[in-house]
Structures are given as structure tokens and as C-alpha cells.
Amino acid sequence: MTEGLAVSGLTAGYGARHVFDRLTIPAIEGGKLVALIGPNAVGKSTLLKALIGIRPVHEGSISLFGEELTALAVSDRARRIGYLPQTLPQATTLVAYELVLSAARAMATGSETREAVEERIDRVFDELDIRELALRRMGEMSGGQRQMVGLAQVLVREPRLLLLDEPTSALDLRWQLRVLETVRTTVSATGALCLLAVHDLNLALRFADRVILLGSGGLLAAGEPTDVLTPDLIEEAYGVSARVESCSLGFPIVLADRAVHRNTEPGSR
Amino acid sequence: MNDPRIEAEVSLADSYRAFTARRMAVLAFFVLATLTSFVWDVATGPALLPLGDVVSGIFDPESLTRAQSVIIWDVRLPYALMALLVGATLGLAGAEMQTSLNNPLASPYTLGVTAAATLGASLAIVFGIALPGIPQNVIVPVCAFATAMGATGLILVFSRSYGATVDTIVLFGIAVLFAMEALVSLVQFVADSDTLQQIVFWTMGSLGRADWDKISIVTLVFAVCAVFSFFDVWKMTALRAGEDQARALGIAVERLRILVLVRASLLCAIAVSFVGTVGFVGLVGPHISRLALGEDHRFFLPGAALAGALMLSLASLASKVIVPGLILPVGIVTALAGIPLFVTLIVLQRRFG
């Protein structure tokens, strides 16, 4: 097994407030799509931001394919990591092609030829099936279309680690499937690794090779999707009574029955 | 919903090249229009010199009489060139400010740079400041520039302490703006009627203060800032997708914002120090460029500089022909022409996006 990502003893947060303390995630090998799930405010987005370096890490280590990331500047990390933030790209007068071109060019070291960059952009637009958006202004697109362009910005950089924060939040059913299929194909073909923060447990079950479940106290479970997404763990994490059943095609699906009363505020830790 | 501009068998790069070729054509049109306006500006004036004599006089100064040579080389050319340079300077500064503050209403004046320059000029005029080693005829621009950069320094110090977010910079900028305006009022209050008149005239903005030395200085500052802007074009374009997106690419957004702020303030301060307050160019120039060329900063920044140059060149021309035989302060003409243009642009933008 080639170790892709290992997080150990990680403490990060906003200023003095720690969102998680000494979080350790078992090593994940390359080529895998990993779903990061958990209720609101447990630190899914903060973890992704700490990995890319936008949120400062107070202690702990992050190793990506054997290289320690915490020692690297954000600009150096960004050459290895593609991060899709939760916010959609702004509705500007830029056309989609320019946005993706700027992502390929902005922090480039300049060693790559123009043709190579153009070829990559062409390929990404094809993979995501959004060629017809290339010359359309961002301001004329729907939220879902802008989200697709945002994803193209990440993929065009061919990162070793993809951090996708709710990449399907603005997408309809067809595009949700399309995006996750593309991401899974990309990581398994390139040996890269994808950490996908997602609320939809069924998408996690359907597409993820591994699932990391965060709770208010840190890591609740990590492993095979069917080992993590059990009724007991779902109730512990979300306060929801749920069943995990098999659909007619044999895939497991989560059916949420009702919220179990707990003395917590929405979105609190 | 197929885009007719994109054919399946043509690579996207080729489709995009065709798309950018149109933008190059628009930029070329801007250059042509600006040059035409410049020649027209040089050829216009109370002396009524024939256009042919003016053009041949520019390329062959020996063909001119002594009087014609003075009119063209010492009066009209500096005046027209200063219009181009100040317009380009304010257009570029405005475009950079709008991108870095993510606000289409930002301009080089948003952060109180002009108000600070006015304070410096007012102090120099009212108190007759003399500084060792600085000729008395440039003391007003030197003081204006010093206070403008001082105000920028203040905002930078605040931003360093509290983070260079858009909110921090705009809030401190507005605070500096109001503080400077209050101080200007205070200086005006203690001024006698003669110096008060001089301050008022200074704030109107006039190209009549142009000479070759000032032109060289503005050219140098513009060229240096433009080179630094050029190195940041991709980062600025990426920033238009959003601050989170830019950070995700590894761009140090706050550092970029501070660099842009320093560049824009320097450009604005040097322009305002030499010609006084010239409104609207820094606000409207970038909007014209955005409408015509989009926001890929490889086109947007030169477009904004050219649109600013064109606007101020036309204003310079208008300032000579509105009242025959009299040259109005260009700041008055620019503001008057700027308001209807600005409103039209907003309407167009609403209608055509």
C-alpha cells in the first residue's frame, strides 16, 4: 500500500478557538475517493482548509505521499492540492474558459508550454461535459453551472490531493452523479486522492471507497462505507434514527426515519 | 443549449483564440480613438493653427515659426500628453482598486488619497510651506504627494494590524477620507480669501500646470506600476472568481490587495498632485473597459488605462471648445461629462449584463 494521506494529532480552528483537537485520521492510500461526513459545525470545512493551509494548524502533522505539508507555504501546497471551496465562483463578466485558464496560470512556475496548458483545459471541459459553457460569462450561468466551472478550476491543475467541499450542493441529480463519476475515474486513473465533504450520506455510500465520520468530539469512525454508515453511528453523530437497507440493485441506502430528541442547538458542536 | 461559437471538432483553445481576437480588435480601436483624440486635442486652441502645420510641426519642429513652436511644444503638447497620462493613470488605478476591493464602485479616490492630496496642497498654499532643496514652484505637488502617500501609509498600518480584508480597508479608507476632508475644511477656514481661491482652483483640476518634467515623472511612475500590474494579471483575474477561489489557488489575497493598494495610491497621488482633482475617470474608465473587454486582466487593465486616457483627452478637448477663447479647468468638464456617461453605462449594464 502506498500511503497517500496521513493526518495525525491535528489541532486547527479560528484564532484561539479550536474546531478540532489532536485529530488523527488513519492513513489512506492513493487512488481513493474518501467521503468526509458529519453534522454541521464539526469541522469538515475547517479540516479541508487546514489541509490546504488557509486555516492555520496549531499542532500536528499532515503527510501527503510521504511529504510533510505543514512545513510548506500555502502557494507550495496549492501546487499539490486542488481545493474547491463551498462558495461558488462569482457571477462576473469573465467567461468560463478564462476562469479555468487563470487557475492554470495564476501560480504556475512557467515551465509548461502554452499548448500543454490548452490541452489540459480542453480535456477537463470534455471530462466534465461542459464544453458549451466555455465562452459563456459566469454572470449568465446558473449556480450549478458555476459550480461545474469551479470544479474545472480544480481539475485543470491535476492535483495529487483533491479537497472538494460540497461540490454537488448546487447540482441537479444528473450532474451530481456525473461529477462524482468523473472525480472517481480521475483519482483511480491518476492515483491521486480525493477528500469529499458531503452531506448526502447516500452519495457517500454510492461513490466513496472510504468514509470518515466526524462528530462533535472529533473522529467517530473511519473505514469502508458500510462499516461506518451504520444505524448506531448515524444516530450517535446526527441524532437521527436511520436504517441502512439494500436497494434492488444491491447498493446499500440510508433511510432516515426521524430526529431523535437531543439537547443540542442546530449547528452547534 | 449549444454555443454556436464552439464547434465540436475545433479545440476550445482555437475557439477562445477567435474570441480574444475580437478583444484585440477592440483594444486596437481604443488605441486609434485615443490617438485621434490626442492629435485633435493638440490641434485645437485659441491660436487656430491649421491641423497640417501642427502635425508636421510635431514630427519636424524646424518647420515651425518661433511662436508656433512655443504654442505647440510648450503649451499644447504637454497639455494633451498630460491628459492622456493622467487619464491612463487614473483608469489603471481604478481598475486595480475595483478588482482588489471586489467593488465596482471603488475608485482611486475611495480611500481618501485625493482628499489627502488636497490637504497637502492646501497646507502648502495657505501656510506658504518652504522645504530645503525643493524649488518653490513644485512645493504644492510635493506636499500633495507627501500627504497622499502618508494617508495610504496610515491605511496600510491599520490593515497590517487588523488584516487586509475588503471591509477593513474600505472602512479605514472612509475614515481617512472624512478625516482629511475635515482637515481641509479647517485649513480653508483659516485661509484668507486669496489663498482660499487658490485652493478652490487647485481642487478643480487643471492640465494647465503640465510641463515636460512633470510628464516625465508621471510617465515613469505609470510605467513602473504598469509593469508590476502586468506580473499580477493572472492573480487579479483569478481573484475575480472570488476570494475563496483565489486563496484555493495559493494566492496570498491580502498581500496582493496591499500591493495593489500601494500601486493604485501611488498612481493616483502622482496624478492628482500635478493636475488636481479629476473626477470620474478612475471610476468610469474601468467600467467602459469591463463592458467592452470583460475582466480578463490581460485586456481589462490596458483597456481601463486606454479608456481613461481617451476620456480625459476628450475632456481636455472639450475644455477648450465649450467657451471659445477660454480653457476651463479639466476637472469641471470631466465631472460634468462623466455623470451622464456613468448613468448611461449603468443602464446599459443592467440591460445587457
Side-chain angles (χ1 to χ4, degrees):
Chain A
M1 176 180 107
T2 56
E3 185 186 276
L5 179 72
V7 173
S8 97
L10 199 68
T11 300
Y14 297 81
R17 192 175 84 86
H18 292 171
V19 175
F20 43 78
D21 269 311
R22 298 198 183 89
L23 178 72
T24 295
I25 295 173
I28 305 156
E29 66 265 45
K32 301 288 182 202
L33 174 58
V34 184
L36 182 63
I37 59 170
N40 294 332
V42 293
K44 300 189 293 294
S45 296
T46 309
L47 174 59
L48 299 189
K49 286 177 185 168
L51 292 177
I52 180 82
I54 294 172
R55 284 270 158 254
V57 168
H58 301 305
E59 60 174 299
S61 77
I62 307 162
S63 146
L64 179 67
F65 295 103
E67 187 179 24
E68 179 56 38
L69 286 187
T70 47
L72 295 179
V74 180
S75 54
D76 289 325
R77 286 198 211 186
R79 292 197 179 95
R80 297 153 174 82
I81 305 176
Y83 166 58
L84 180 73
Q86 216 167 0
T87 47
L88 303 181
Q90 289 187 150
T92 60
T93 57
L94 282 171
V95 299
Y97 192 92
E98 287 165 340
L99 228 67
V100 179
L101 185 62
S102 72
R105 284 273 189 217
M107 299 298 281
T109 44
S111 56
E112 203 175 20
T113 64
R114 194 181 71 180
E115 287 73 21
V117 174
E118 289 174 351
E119 207 179 289
R120 266 194 294 144
I121 297 175
D122 229 72
R123 198 170 59 239
V124 168
F125 272 89
D126 275 340
E127 278 169 4
L128 292 173
D129 199 11
I130 53 169
R131 273 181 80 91
E132 75 280 8
L133 296 183
L135 297 183
R136 202 180 302 169
R137 290 178 169 197
M138 296 300 286
E140 297 164 0
M141 290 186 199
S142 71
Q145 289 171 323
R146 281 191 278 138
Q147 195 162 37
M148 295 297 290
V149 177
L151 190 61
Q153 281 196 301
V154 174
L155 293 179
V156 79
R157 294 157 66 85
E158 297 183 337
R160 298 294 289 145
L161 172 65
L162 287 97
L163 305 172
L164 309 180
D165 200 347
E166 292 287 347
T168 55
S169 61
L171 302 180
D172 65 29
L173 265 181
R174 177 177 180 273
W175 285 102
Q176 287 181 17
L177 298 179
R178 179 102 190 127
V179 160
L180 293 179
E181 277 163 8
T182 306
V183 171
R184 195 159 73 166
T185 312
T186 304
V187 292
S188 67
T190 59
L193 208 149
C194 174
L195 212 52
L196 167 82
V198 65
H199 271 304
D200 188 332
L201 302 184
N202 284 314
L203 281 181
L205 268 174
R206 175 87 174 77
F207 287 98
D209 302 302
R210 298 274 185 284
V211 171
I212 295 169
L213 175 61
L214 294 184
S216 53
L219 183 74
L220 273 182
E224 295 288 325
T226 47
D227 294 341
V228 176
L229 286 166
T230 62
D232 288 346
L233 280 170
I234 291 172
E235 182 168 339
E236 188 183 343
Y238 291 91
V240 165
S241 160
R243 287 168 286 150
V244 181
E245 296 190 350
S246 216
C247 75
S248 57
L249 291 174
F251 297 123
I253 49 169
V254 175
L255 297 164
D257 290 326
R258 62 178 199 289
V260 178
H261 182 73
R262 287 197 309 185
N263 192 19
T264 55
E265 300 164 30
S268 73
R269 291 193 58 210
Chain B
M1 280 229 291
N2 286 327
D3 192 322
R5 293 171 296 186
I6 300 168
E7 294 170 39
E9 64 273 17
V10 178
S11 79
L12 279 183
D14 288 336
S15 305
Y16 181 65
R17 259 191 283 280
F19 180 78
T20 51
R22 281 192 294 278
R23 290 188 166 166
M24 294 301 286
V26 173
L27 268 183
F29 171 76
F30 274 19
V31 171
L32 201 65
T34 307
L35 283 177
T36 309
S37 172
F38 171 72
V39 172
W40 195 5
D41 191 15
V42 177
T44 305
L48 301 173
L49 302 178
L51 177 64
D53 288 2
V54 173
V55 175
S56 63
I58 292 173
F59 293 105
D60 178 18
E62 301 299 314
S63 69
L64 298 170
T65 65
R66 175 85 191 110
Q68 283 175 330
S69 179
V70 169
I71 290 172
I72 292 175
W73 282 91
D74 294 345
V75 181
R76 290 201 191 165
L77 267 178
Y79 194 104
L81 265 179
M82 198 58 149
L84 285 190
L85 279 167
V86 168
T89 297
L90 294 176
L92 177 63
E96 294 215 87
M97 290 291 277
Q98 289 180 5
T99 296
S100 72
L101 295 179
N102 194 23
N103 188 336
L105 291 177
S107 83
Y109 300 166
T110 308
L111 304 182
V113 177
T114 318
T118 308
L119 176 66
S122 304
L123 286 170
I125 291 167
V126 172
F127 298 108
I129 293 173
L131 296 170
I134 297 174
Q136 203 55 32
N137 62 335
V138 294
I139 203 81
V140 172
V142 166
C143 286
F145 183 77
T147 45
M149 291 319 288
T152 306
L154 261 184
I155 297 172
L156 288 181
V157 169
F158 287 139
S159 307
R160 266 192 101 80
S161 313
Y162 298 96
T165 64
V166 170
D167 292 350
T168 314
I169 290 184
V170 170
L171 278 174
F172 284 129
I174 288 173
V176 166
L177 176 68
F178 277 97
M180 293 298 158
E181 282 181 349
L183 289 172
V184 169
S185 298
L186 186 67
V187 175
Q188 287 176 338
F189 184 73
V190 300
D192 59 33
S193 59
D194 193 32
T195 49
L196 186 61
Q197 196 180 10
Q198 282 185 54
I199 296 174
V200 171
F201 184 70
W202 190 89
T203 56
M204 285 175 181
S206 170
L207 295 165
R209 299 166 198 144
D211 62 36
W212 288 104
D213 287 342
K214 291 174 184 171
I215 284 173
S216 314
I217 294 171
V218 180
T219 307
L220 184 71
V221 171
F222 178 79
V224 170
C225 290
V227 168
F228 280 101
S229 303
F230 175 78
F231 284 119
D232 281 342
V233 282
W234 286 116
K235 289 184 197 168
M236 303 274 277
T237 304
L239 186 57
R240 286 304 294 135
E243 206 165 316
D244 287 345
Q245 277 69 15
R247 274 186 224 286
L249 298 176
I251 297 170
V253 174
E254 299 199 345
R255 198 179 116 87
L256 177 66
R257 188 172 288 132
I258 284 181
L259 282 176
V260 168
L261 177 67
V262 170
R263 278 206 295 269
S265 299
L266 189 62
L267 286 168
C268 176
I270 201 81
V272 173
S273 305
F274 286 148
V275 301
T277 313
V278 177
F280 279 99
V281 175
L283 179 66
V284 178
H287 279 274
I288 295 174
S289 179
R290 191 176 290 114
L291 276 176
L293 296 156
E295 288 173 289
D296 178 339
H297 281 55
R298 290 174 300 164
F299 303 101
F300 175 57
L301 292 183
L306 280 168
L310 177 60
M311 272 178 74
L312 206 56
S313 182
L314 288 172
S316 157
L317 187 60
S319 73
K320 292 190 248 182
V321 296
I322 289 176
V323 182
L326 183 71
I327 298 177
L328 295 173
V330 76
I332 300 176
V333 184
T334 321
L336 283 179
I339 293 165
L341 186 62
F342 189 49
V343 173
T344 313
L345 276 171
I346 291 171
V347 172
L348 280 177
Q349 211 163 17
R350 288 269 153 82
R351 190 164 296 175
F352 303 109

Short mmCIF file of all heavy atoms in Angstrom, two decimals, chain A residues 143-176:
data_model
loop_
_atom_site.label_atom_id
_atom_site.label_comp_id
_atom_site.label_asym_id
_atom_site.label_seq_id
_atom_site.Cartn_x
_atom_site.Cartn_y
_atom_site.Cartn_z
N GLY A 143 -26.27 28.65 -10.75
CA GLY A 143 -25.36 28.28 -9.67
C GLY A 143 -24.67 26.96 -9.95
O GLY A 143 -23.46 26.81 -9.73
N GLY A 144 -25.43 25.99 -10.46
CA GLY A 144 -24.86 24.68 -10.75
C GLY A 144 -23.78 24.75 -11.81
O GLY A 144 -22.74 24.10 -11.70
N GLN A 145 -24.03 25.56 -12.84
CA GLN A 145 -23.03 25.69 -13.91
C GLN A 145 -21.76 26.33 -13.38
O GLN A 145 -20.65 25.92 -13.72
CB GLN A 145 -23.62 26.49 -15.07
CG GLN A 145 -24.68 25.72 -15.83
CD GLN A 145 -25.41 26.57 -16.85
OE1 GLN A 145 -25.67 27.75 -16.62
NE2 GLN A 145 -25.79 25.97 -17.95
N ARG A 146 -21.93 27.34 -12.50
CA ARG A 146 -20.74 27.97 -11.92
C ARG A 146 -19.97 26.98 -11.05
O ARG A 146 -18.75 26.98 -11.00
CB ARG A 146 -21.15 29.21 -11.11
CG ARG A 146 -21.42 30.42 -12.00
CD ARG A 146 -21.56 31.67 -11.20
NE ARG A 146 -22.89 31.81 -10.64
CZ ARG A 146 -23.15 32.24 -9.41
NH1 ARG A 146 -22.17 32.54 -8.59
NH2 ARG A 146 -24.39 32.35 -9.00
N GLN A 147 -20.71 26.11 -10.37
CA GLN A 147 -20.05 25.10 -9.55
C GLN A 147 -19.22 24.16 -10.42
O GLN A 147 -18.11 23.76 -10.05
CB GLN A 147 -21.09 24.31 -8.76
CG GLN A 147 -20.48 23.51 -7.62
CD GLN A 147 -21.49 23.09 -6.58
OE1 GLN A 147 -22.64 22.76 -6.93
NE2 GLN A 147 -21.11 23.10 -5.33
N MET A 148 -19.76 23.82 -11.59
CA MET A 148 -19.02 22.96 -12.52
C MET A 148 -17.72 23.65 -12.98
O MET A 148 -16.68 23.01 -13.09
CB MET A 148 -19.88 22.62 -13.76
CG MET A 148 -21.10 21.78 -13.47
SD MET A 148 -20.71 20.15 -12.83
CE MET A 148 -20.01 19.36 -14.27
N VAL A 149 -17.81 24.97 -13.25
CA VAL A 149 -16.61 25.70 -13.68
C VAL A 149 -15.58 25.72 -12.53
O VAL A 149 -14.38 25.58 -12.75
CB VAL A 149 -16.97 27.13 -14.14
CG1 VAL A 149 -15.71 27.91 -14.52
CG2 VAL A 149 -17.93 27.09 -15.32
N GLY A 150 -16.09 25.88 -11.30
CA GLY A 150 -15.21 25.84 -10.14
C GLY A 150 -14.47 24.52 -10.05
O GLY A 150 -13.27 24.47 -9.78
N LEU A 151 -15.18 23.45 -10.33
CA LEU A 151 -14.57 22.12 -10.30
C LEU A 151 -13.53 21.98 -11.42
O LEU A 151 -12.45 21.39 -11.22
CB LEU A 151 -15.66 21.05 -10.44
CG LEU A 151 -15.22 19.62 -10.20
CD1 LEU A 151 -14.69 19.45 -8.78
CD2 LEU A 151 -16.38 18.66 -10.44
N ALA A 152 -13.85 22.57 -12.58
CA ALA A 152 -12.87 22.55 -13.69
C ALA A 152 -11.60 23.28 -13.27
O ALA A 152 -10.49 22.86 -13.63
CB ALA A 152 -13.48 23.18 -14.93
N GLN A 153 -11.74 24.37 -12.49
CA GLN A 153 -10.56 25.11 -12.00
C GLN A 153 -9.66 24.19 -11.16
O GLN A 153 -8.45 24.31 -11.19
CB GLN A 153 -11.00 26.28 -11.11
CG GLN A 153 -11.48 27.51 -11.87
CD GLN A 153 -11.51 28.71 -10.94
OE1 GLN A 153 -12.20 28.70 -9.93
NE2 GLN A 153 -10.78 29.75 -11.28
N VAL A 154 -10.30 23.31 -10.38
CA VAL A 154 -9.52 22.40 -9.53
C VAL A 154 -8.86 21.31 -10.38
O VAL A 154 -7.66 21.06 -10.27
CB VAL A 154 -10.43 21.75 -8.46
CG1 VAL A 154 -9.66 20.70 -7.68
CG2 VAL A 154 -11.00 22.81 -7.53
N LEU A 155 -9.66 20.69 -11.27
CA LEU A 155 -9.14 19.53 -12.02
C LEU A 155 -8.03 19.91 -12.99
O LEU A 155 -7.12 19.12 -13.24
CB LEU A 155 -10.29 18.85 -12.78
CG LEU A 155 -11.34 18.16 -11.91
CD1 LEU A 155 -12.43 17.53 -12.77
CD2 LEU A 155 -10.71 17.09 -11.02
N VAL A 156 -8.08 21.16 -13.51
CA VAL A 156 -7.11 21.54 -14.53
C VAL A 156 -5.69 21.59 -13.95
O VAL A 156 -4.71 21.48 -14.68
CB VAL A 156 -7.50 22.91 -15.16
CG1 VAL A 156 -7.11 24.07 -14.26
CG2 VAL A 156 -6.86 23.06 -16.53
N ARG A 157 -5.59 21.70 -12.64
CA ARG A 157 -4.27 21.77 -12.01
C ARG A 157 -3.68 20.39 -11.72
O ARG A 157 -2.58 20.28 -11.20
CB ARG A 157 -4.36 22.61 -10.74
CG ARG A 157 -4.68 24.07 -11.05
CD ARG A 157 -5.31 24.76 -9.88
NE ARG A 157 -4.42 24.89 -8.75
CZ ARG A 157 -3.54 25.87 -8.57
NH1 ARG A 157 -3.45 26.81 -9.47
NH2 ARG A 157 -2.78 25.90 -7.51
N GLU A 158 -4.46 19.36 -12.04
CA GLU A 158 -4.02 17.97 -11.86
C GLU A 158 -3.37 17.74 -10.50
O GLU A 158 -2.21 17.32 -10.40
CB GLU A 158 -3.07 17.55 -12.99
CG GLU A 158 -3.76 17.59 -14.33
CD GLU A 158 -2.89 17.11 -15.48
OE1 GLU A 158 -1.66 17.15 -15.36
OE2 GLU A 158 -3.47 16.68 -16.50
N PRO A 159 -4.13 18.03 -9.42
CA PRO A 159 -3.54 17.91 -8.09
C PRO A 159 -3.38 16.46 -7.64
O PRO A 159 -4.07 15.57 -8.14
CB PRO A 159 -4.55 18.64 -7.20
CG PRO A 159 -5.84 18.54 -7.93
CD PRO A 159 -5.53 18.45 -9.38
N ARG A 160 -2.48 16.25 -6.67
CA ARG A 160 -2.30 14.92 -6.08
C ARG A 160 -3.36 14.66 -5.03
O ARG A 160 -3.65 13.53 -4.69
CB ARG A 160 -0.90 14.81 -5.44
CG ARG A 160 0.25 14.97 -6.41
CD ARG A 160 0.33 13.85 -7.41
NE ARG A 160 0.76 12.60 -6.81
CZ ARG A 160 0.31 11.41 -7.19
NH1 ARG A 160 -0.61 11.32 -8.14
NH2 ARG A 160 0.74 10.31 -6.62
N LEU A 161 -3.87 15.75 -4.44
CA LEU A 161 -4.93 15.63 -3.45
C LEU A 161 -6.04 16.61 -3.80
O LEU A 161 -5.79 17.80 -3.99
CB LEU A 161 -4.38 15.95 -2.05
CG LEU A 161 -5.40 16.06 -0.91
CD1 LEU A 161 -6.07 14.71 -0.65
CD2 LEU A 161 -4.72 16.54 0.38
N LEU A 162 -7.26 16.09 -3.94
CA LEU A 162 -8.40 16.97 -4.23
C LEU A 162 -9.22 17.13 -2.96
O LEU A 162 -9.59 16.13 -2.34
CB LEU A 162 -9.31 16.36 -5.30
CG LEU A 162 -8.82 16.35 -6.74
CD1 LEU A 162 -8.20 15.00 -7.05
CD2 LEU A 162 -9.97 16.62 -7.67
N LEU A 163 -9.47 18.39 -2.57
CA LEU A 163 -10.30 18.65 -1.41
C LEU A 163 -11.57 19.32 -1.92
O LEU A 163 -11.53 20.47 -2.36
CB LEU A 163 -9.58 19.57 -0.43
CG LEU A 163 -8.19 19.11 0.03
CD1 LEU A 163 -7.52 20.21 0.84
CD2 LEU A 163 -8.31 17.83 0.85
N LEU A 164 -12.67 18.61 -1.92
CA LEU A 164 -13.89 19.16 -2.50
C LEU A 164 -14.92 19.38 -1.39
O LEU A 164 -15.35 18.43 -0.74
CB LEU A 164 -14.45 18.20 -3.56
CG LEU A 164 -13.47 17.72 -4.63
CD1 LEU A 164 -14.16 16.78 -5.61
CD2 LEU A 164 -12.86 18.90 -5.39
N ASP A 165 -15.26 20.65 -1.18
CA ASP A 165 -16.20 20.98 -0.11
C ASP A 165 -17.60 21.12 -0.70
O ASP A 165 -17.90 22.11 -1.36
CB ASP A 165 -15.76 22.29 0.57
CG ASP A 165 -16.36 22.44 1.95
OD1 ASP A 165 -17.30 21.68 2.28
OD2 ASP A 165 -15.90 23.32 2.71
N GLU A 166 -18.41 20.13 -0.49
CA GLU A 166 -19.79 20.09 -1.01
C GLU A 166 -19.82 20.43 -2.51
O GLU A 166 -20.48 21.39 -2.92
CB GLU A 166 -20.67 21.10 -0.24
CG GLU A 166 -20.92 20.74 1.20
CD GLU A 166 -21.88 19.57 1.37
OE1 GLU A 166 -22.53 19.19 0.38
OE2 GLU A 166 -21.94 19.01 2.47
N PRO A 167 -19.14 19.66 -3.33
CA PRO A 167 -19.06 20.03 -4.76
C PRO A 167 -20.36 19.84 -5.51
O PRO A 167 -20.49 20.28 -6.65
CB PRO A 167 -18.00 19.06 -5.30
CG PRO A 167 -18.10 17.87 -4.43
CD PRO A 167 -18.44 18.39 -3.06
N THR A 168 -21.33 19.18 -4.88
CA THR A 168 -22.58 18.91 -5.60
C THR A 168 -23.76 19.70 -5.03
O THR A 168 -24.89 19.45 -5.39
CB THR A 168 -22.91 17.40 -5.53
OG1 THR A 168 -22.93 17.01 -4.16
CG2 THR A 168 -21.88 16.57 -6.26
N SER A 169 -23.45 20.68 -4.14
CA SER A 169 -24.54 21.37 -3.43
C SER A 169 -25.50 22.11 -4.36
O SER A 169 -26.67 22.28 -4.04
CB SER A 169 -23.96 22.34 -2.41
OG SER A 169 -23.17 23.30 -3.08
N ALA A 170 -25.00 22.60 -5.52
CA ALA A 170 -25.86 23.38 -6.40
C ALA A 170 -26.29 22.57 -7.63
O ALA A 170 -26.88 23.11 -8.56
CB ALA A 170 -25.13 24.65 -6.84
N LEU A 171 -25.98 21.26 -7.63
CA LEU A 171 -26.19 20.47 -8.86
C LEU A 171 -27.46 19.63 -8.80
O LEU A 171 -27.85 19.15 -7.73
CB LEU A 171 -25.00 19.52 -9.07
CG LEU A 171 -23.62 20.18 -9.20
CD1 LEU A 171 -22.56 19.12 -9.41
CD2 LEU A 171 -23.60 21.18 -10.34
N ASP A 172 -28.08 19.44 -9.95
CA ASP A 172 -29.23 18.54 -10.00
C ASP A 172 -28.73 17.09 -10.00
O ASP A 172 -27.53 16.82 -10.06
CB ASP A 172 -30.12 18.87 -11.21
CG ASP A 172 -29.44 18.60 -12.54
OD1 ASP A 172 -28.57 17.71 -12.60
OD2 ASP A 172 -29.77 19.27 -13.54
N LEU A 173 -29.67 16.16 -9.92
CA LEU A 173 -29.33 14.75 -9.76
C LEU A 173 -28.35 14.23 -10.80
O LEU A 173 -27.34 13.60 -10.48
CB LEU A 173 -30.61 13.91 -9.85
CG LEU A 173 -31.28 13.55 -8.53
CD1 LEU A 173 -32.51 12.71 -8.81
CD2 LEU A 173 -30.30 12.79 -7.64
N ARG A 174 -28.65 14.55 -12.06
CA ARG A 174 -27.80 14.04 -13.14
C ARG A 174 -26.37 14.52 -13.00
O ARG A 174 -25.42 13.73 -13.14
CB ARG A 174 -28.37 14.48 -14.49
CG ARG A 174 -27.52 14.07 -15.65
CD ARG A 174 -28.13 14.44 -16.99
NE ARG A 174 -27.24 14.00 -18.06
CZ ARG A 174 -26.24 14.73 -18.53
NH1 ARG A 174 -26.02 15.94 -18.06
NH2 ARG A 174 -25.45 14.27 -19.48
N TRP A 175 -26.22 15.82 -12.68
CA TRP A 175 -24.88 16.38 -12.59
C TRP A 175 -24.16 15.92 -11.33
O TRP A 175 -22.94 15.80 -11.32
CB TRP A 175 -24.93 17.91 -12.70
CG TRP A 175 -25.19 18.33 -14.10
CD1 TRP A 175 -26.37 18.76 -14.63
CD2 TRP A 175 -24.27 18.29 -15.19
NE1 TRP A 175 -26.24 19.02 -15.96
CE2 TRP A 175 -24.96 18.74 -16.34
CE3 TRP A 175 -22.92 17.93 -15.32
CZ2 TRP A 175 -24.35 18.81 -17.59
CZ3 TRP A 175 -22.32 18.01 -16.57
CH2 TRP A 175 -23.04 18.45 -17.69
N GLN A 176 -24.92 15.65 -10.26
CA GLN A 176 -24.29 15.10 -9.05
C GLN A 176 -23.58 13.79 -9.40
O GLN A 176 -22.43 13.57 -9.07
CB GLN A 176 -25.34 14.82 -7.97
CG GLN A 176 -25.90 16.06 -7.32
CD GLN A 176 -26.92 15.73 -6.25
OE1 GLN A 176 -27.01 14.62 -5.77
NE2 GLN A 176 -27.73 16.72 -5.89
#
